[in-house]
Amino acid sequence: MTISERSRIDRYEPAAIEPRWQERWAELGLGEAELRDESRPKYYLLTMYDYPSGDLHVGHWYVKTPTDAIARFHRMHGENVFFPVGFDAFGLPAENAAIGRGVHPAEWTYRNIDTMRRQLRSMGAAFDWDSEVVTCDPSYYRWNQWLFLRFLEAGLAYRASATVDWCPNDGTLAREQVEGADRHCWRCGAPVEKRDLDQWFLRITRYADELLDFSGIDWPEPIRVMQTNWIGRSDGAEAVFTTAADEVQPGGDELRVFTTRPDTLFGATFMVLAPEHALVERLTHPERRPEVEAYVARAERETEIERLSLEREKTGVFSGSYAVNPVNGERIPIWIADYVLAGYGTGAIMAVPAHDERDFAFARRFGLPVRRVIAPRELAGEPDDGPTMAQAYVSKSQDDLLVNSGPFDGLGAPAAFAAIVERLSAEGRGRAAVSYRLRDWLISRQRYWGTPIPVVYCERDGIVPVPYDRLPVRLPETVDYAGRGENPLRRDAGFVETTCPRCDGPARRETDTMDTFVDSSWYWYRYLSPGKTDGPLDRDLELRWCPVDQYTGGAEHAVMHLLYSRFFTKALADLGVVHEREPFRRLFNQGQVLGADGERMSKSRGNVQDPDELVARYGADTVRLFLMFMGPWDQGGPWSPTGIGGVHRFLNRVWTSMLDPHGVEAGDPEAGRLPAGESAESAARALRSTAHRTLRTVTAEYLEFRFNTMVAHLMELSNALFRYRGTEVAGSAAWDEAARLLLLMLAPAAPHVAEELWARRLAARGEAGRSIHGESWPAVDEAAVVEATREVPVQVNGKLRDRVVVPAGIAEADLERLVLERAKVRAALAGHQLVRVVHAGGGRLVNIVVR
RNA sequence: GCCGAAGUGGCGGAACAGGCAGACGCGACGGUCUCAAACACCGUUGAGGGCAACCUCGUGCGGGUUCAAAUCCCGCCUUCGGCACCA
């Protein structure tokens, strides 16, 4: 476009229009749901709330702006859309800032929230700000405490000992605060110790089986698989071994083991206890004590990663004691090894080296016997090859038979499983059992910046919950870190010293605060009534609005947050607080935008891409559209601004087509002329067809969150319009319809430019101004999409040889005759014998098979 | 090591449900307009061959099924994400 022509219309300048529309939408209350309005279908759209780190980067835009497009798309379908935002405001970074720089965590947090609110507004996203939730506010965390008390009453909260990483100077350390292979404190460098503390747990394991059931919710398969594996249900049996009497001890102690293969019980040739097992000390013979104690001490210092490494050679020590196998009375040695974990099953195993790889490696390393008890049917008669086996036989074939198993020889493995469990049960030496990998949720944190756990410790009454009417237990406003990482609440006499609600005697407050995952396990309920003072949530609104229709957020929360949220919902349903047993009906996990270096974006890595400069240069609409166009939304990928100019050019062309349909491009010799052989009528028909076909495709793509192809299809429609610019088609009814559809389809994704062009369009027609975001989503005119002819590719032996344009409704026989007459086809067929003609995909393609 | 996801032009990516590989965009090259530019416009652009019409090859590698494979099956390799030696 030349300068003279360009000057006929305004340039597309996002900076001049975007802030204006953002203000207008705020005035209109576009983002605010009418929660009590029941005349329209509800749509609760939730996007994971953010930690207010203070640096809003393109990653936040990547997560939030497509979600905003979803919200706007649903509003255009007449739905009452609830699309709230909030801040996950408790947590470690605020505390680190306080320790390191002396800023109060609250000040740091609220300052960041202010910055993020401003940046979030620049996205042009129509959030429901009236429903905003900030979790560090007492009006929110009060209800964490309320919920905790309900859990406590229901037996879902309890106190137990748990091991933490401990620094003598800085107290409990989070995993990220333990650094280096030598495991030193991030702040003071002291070697990290282990310490057992009494802490609070929530009994998520009570819901293990229900959490395995995903029926009724539409969640991605990989997430369901990950949660299923995390819960890790194993069906097997518990078998009770007893310790054998010897010169040191009388024997008879029970050693319970969990096994998924009770059918291999006759193959148990030794036992292994976790180093932490309660009976280790008692079973260790005096002469073996120094070695065992050294081994246990070493295992304690190891990181879980080291201990769980498969690469490492197996280690272990013999205790000196023996155990008796409950099925055959055999005496087998008891070993202690770190490959058995205290936290899983019973912390002890029966080792069946012939049929378990880990046990096999251990047996070979320490020269322990190997006995085959399971064999494929055809090898069942062979002598025991245990001593010479090169690897464990871990087949779970239905055809395997038991061998070397006394009365059970010859039984099929599945039958033997049942028979052996039955015998154990009958003799009181075991039973069928289920084990889970899932452990109860440790919610105690030894930190200031979190929700105080509302209990006191009374000398007389013990653990006493703070009464509901005395909530919230507030964090003290002044906090003295004294430059250390240790929980300052412990030293805060004004906080700690209190009276017992029951006896009024002296008592000490709990100084542990809650894991921030508690905050995020129910925040979507609070969004519905954030200011409610007589309860955590409004039951009527919860009944009407929950479950959440669509939840979107990063896949990094696949297990913990999403599993805890499901647990909370089920527990709250059982407590009568909510109605539904699943929080999120449909889930979509986006990928992550990484830094240009391919690493996760973070301030410390210095690879954060600030959207502000891109917005200043291209406008929010271009940035939004570019992030959608980058690739499939669930994939993410390294950030690169390459190509953003192309998206900007697209919006520019839309702008030009809409405002100057009759202009011509000086750079194009064909400008203003229809393509050869095309009449105004056929061009108009083609344009209508393209517009409605695009509408059909784009509608589906919005619903399936396939934003990258959605943008591509809008580009195609825009290109079609642009091509006809300056011709007699421009300004025709067909042109006008295509332009209208393009703007409506663009509105959810690029809301400002669509709104601006819509306003000008209405003004040009002398119509009253109204927001495009209040318009109805258009309907496809199926008749316009139907085409008179279509092109059929013709293959010979699967190779493309020709294309033929035929009437849309042509019969197969006619098509075949036509195809066989084509010169190119005949050339390809020459010298071959025709075998058959395949009409594939309902006549979409013809393949001629020859010999 | 196990589990999950994925490997397609120079790049991001597209391809409904086995049916025309490379949509859309970037970059590059050539051109238009311009004193000069680009946040403007037009054209070309998978590789190789041919004056051309066209031909051959081509979706990580090796096999297979099929009239037809990026897509399904078997065996490998690589990358990313997650992690539990779970008995």
Side-chain angles (χ1 to χ4, degrees), chain A residues 450-715:
Chain A
T451 303
I453 293 175
V455 298
V456 302
Y457 299 94
C458 170
E459 289 165 20
R460 222 189 61 152
D461 296 317
I463 297 173
V464 181
V466 174
Y468 288 98
D469 59 11
R470 293 199 207 165
L471 298 182
V473 175
R474 285 174 182 270
L475 286 172
E477 285 184 14
T478 55
V479 52
D480 179 13
Y481 281 93
R484 299 169 60 191
E486 200 196 357
N487 184 2
L489 288 178
R490 292 168 60 87
R491 298 188 306 267
D492 189 326
F495 178 79
V496 174
E497 289 166 17
T498 184
T499 53
C500 170
R502 203 167 286 161
C503 71
D504 272 333
R508 295 176 60 80
R509 256 186 219 294
E510 172 64 83
T511 55
D512 281 357
T513 54
M514 296 182 202
D515 181 2
T516 56
F517 277 122
V518 172
D519 309 347
S520 56
S521 292
W522 68 285
Y523 72 109
W524 62 94
Y525 293 122
R526 191 66 186 168
Y527 274 145
L528 291 165
S529 47
K532 191 175 169 65
T533 54
D534 58 352
L537 54 95
D538 183 311
R539 288 269 291 172
D540 292 339
L541 290 178
E542 182 271 325
L543 179 60
R544 172 158 163 63
W545 283 89
C546 291
V548 166
D549 294 278
Q550 177 70 58
Y551 196 24
T552 64
E556 66 272 22
H557 293 297
V559 174
M560 305 244 273
H561 163 57
L562 289 170
L563 197 65
Y564 293 152
S565 296
R566 293 181 65 218
F567 158 56
F568 251 61
T569 298
K570 292 172 193 308
L572 293 180
D574 285 339
L575 293 172
V577 177
V578 302
H579 297 84
E580 292 282 343
R581 298 196 75 83
E582 284 289 351
F584 316 123
R585 183 166 289 157
R586 192 167 176 229
L587 173 73
F588 188 90
N589 286 111
Q590 315 94 12
Q592 273 189 307
V593 179
L594 307 173
D597 53 3
E599 301 282 328
R600 186 177 294 204
M601 262 190 211
S602 75
K603 253 182 186 168
S604 56
R605 285 203 183 83
N607 61 356
V608 170
Q609 173 65 49
D610 179 356
D612 289 358
E613 59 188 71
L614 292 171
V615 173
R617 183 157 176 211
Y618 297 104
D621 284 334
T622 294
V623 177
R624 289 169 62 112
L625 229 40
F626 176 60
L627 287 167
M628 293 184 209
F629 188 55
M630 261 174 55
W633 199 27
D634 57 358
Q635 249 168 47
W639 166 258
S640 162
T642 310
I644 192 168
V647 172
H648 191 68
R649 271 194 286 281
F650 157 60
L651 289 180
N652 242 315
R653 278 196 296 271
V654 173
W655 181 272
T656 307
S657 304
M658 296 296 155
L659 297 184
D660 187 23
H662 301 292
V664 289
E665 296 303 322
D668 179 3
E670 299 295 315
R673 260 177 276 162
L674 286 174
E678 204 168 9
S679 67
E681 290 72 34
S682 68
R685 206 161 42 237
L687 188 55
R688 277 206 85 212
S689 170
T690 302
H692 281 275
R693 200 167 336 101
T694 304
L695 175 59
R696 188 165 62 190
T697 313
V698 163
T699 303
E701 285 165 335
Y702 268 116
L703 286 169
E704 292 159 22
F705 307 159
R706 295 164 36 152
F707 298 109
N708 58 328
T709 53
M710 182 273 288
V711 174
H713 287 120
L714 292 183
M715 286 173 166

Side-chain angles (χ1 to χ4, degrees), chain A residues 114-126:
Chain A
D114 282 341
T115 308
M116 288 184 74
R117 281 196 189 115
R118 182 182 59 71
Q119 289 179 308
L120 283 169
R121 284 180 203 279
S122 76
M123 291 176 181

Side-chain angles (χ1 to χ4, degrees), chain A residues 401-480:
Chain A
L401 299 183
L402 262 69
V403 297
N404 303 316
S405 295
F408 300 97
D409 277 358
L411 272 183
F417 186 112
I420 291 179
V421 170
E422 196 176 317
R423 175 163 151 198
L424 285 171
S425 304
E427 295 177 356
R429 294 164 192 254
R431 60 191 171 85
V434 178
S435 189
Y436 299 90
R437 198 196 79 104
L438 182 71
R439 288 170 221 169
D440 278 335
W441 175 12
L442 172 66
I443 61 158
S444 283
R445 297 291 181 268
Q446 290 78 48
R447 324 221 80 93
Y448 166 78
W449 195 232
T451 303
I453 293 175
V455 298
V456 302
Y457 299 94
C458 170
E459 289 165 20
R460 222 189 61 152
D461 296 317
I463 297 173
V464 181
V466 174
Y468 288 98
D469 59 11
R470 293 199 207 165
L471 298 182
V473 175
R474 285 174 182 270
L475 286 172
E477 285 184 14
T478 55
V479 52
D480 179 13

Side-chain angles (χ1 to χ4, degrees), chain A residues 342-384:
Chain A
Y344 183 78
T346 60
I349 62 158
M350 62 175 206
V352 185
H355 307 292
D356 181 283
E357 284 169 28
R358 295 152 299 170
D359 297 344
F360 185 83
F362 193 85
R364 286 290 186 247
R365 169 88 206 279
F366 294 102
L368 293 159
V370 177
R371 182 193 309 140
R372 179 189 281 275
V373 291
I374 304 278
R377 187 171 294 271
E378 62 276 16
L379 297 177
E382 304 284 317
D384 178 19

